[in-house]
Amino acid sequence: MGFNPQREDWCRPFLVYLMGPGVGDESTFEAEHADEPEVEAILGFRPTHAVNVSACCNREIDHVTTALLTAAVMDVIGGVANVELLDGHASVVAGLPGVLGIAGDDWMALGSAEFLRAWVGHPAFRLVK
């Protein structure tokens, strides 16, 4: 199928934004990360900035593209992915390459770009809205 701008689904908008001290809304960054003490324990440091990547659509292709876009951003700037998990997925992702740890009573995986690419390739892959 070729490109057809008349189709409703040809456009896939994504939001990518940076926040933290000196960038964006610092109070939002602090509020979003205030209740994550396990993250610091797992990583050995407290993250100071966040790059959020989110799709404005909710189909499988949007989930895959969001994860791969996030991995590409991480290839350039480094960092750790914070991926929200569905019930039962903690045990699935725990064995994937690049996983640094599971936090938040099994609802959050922390990992590298390698982890994101491995998770995308897994049959149970799904991102949480």
Side-chain angles (χ1 to χ4, degrees):
M1 172 172 40
F3 171 74
N4 181 351
Q6 302 302 320
R7 290 183 44 160
E8 284 184 32
D9 66 348
W10 75 273
C11 182
R12 314 306 303 171
F14 290 86
L15 296 174
V16 180
Y17 61 93
L18 175 66
M19 64 179 171
V23 183
D25 186 342
E26 292 181 42
S27 60
T28 300
F29 175 81
E30 291 298 325
E32 286 186 4
H33 296 88
D35 62 346
E36 297 178 345
E38 291 177 273
V39 170
E40 186 173 355
I42 290 169
L43 299 179
F45 63 91
R46 186 174 191 271
T48 60
H49 291 78
V51 177
N52 288 341
V53 179
S54 58
C56 297
C57 300
N58 193 31
R59 292 177 41 200
E60 182 179 353
I61 188 67
D62 304 305
H63 290 251
V64 169
T65 306
T66 299
L68 294 178
L69 177 58
T70 301
V73 169
M74 291 171 68
D75 288 341
V76 174
I77 65 170
V80 174
N82 177 335
V83 177
E84 291 182 49
L85 301 172
L86 295 171
D87 286 340
H89 278 176
S91 61
V92 173
V93 301
L96 293 176
V99 172
L100 302 173
I102 305 294
D105 292 331
D106 292 345
W107 62 266
M108 179 188 351
L110 302 170
S112 65
E114 178 186 26
F115 157 65
L116 286 175
R117 291 184 180 101
W119 182 218
V120 165
H122 194 281
F125 171 74
R126 180 82 174 158
L127 294 180
V128 177
K129 288 187 196 181

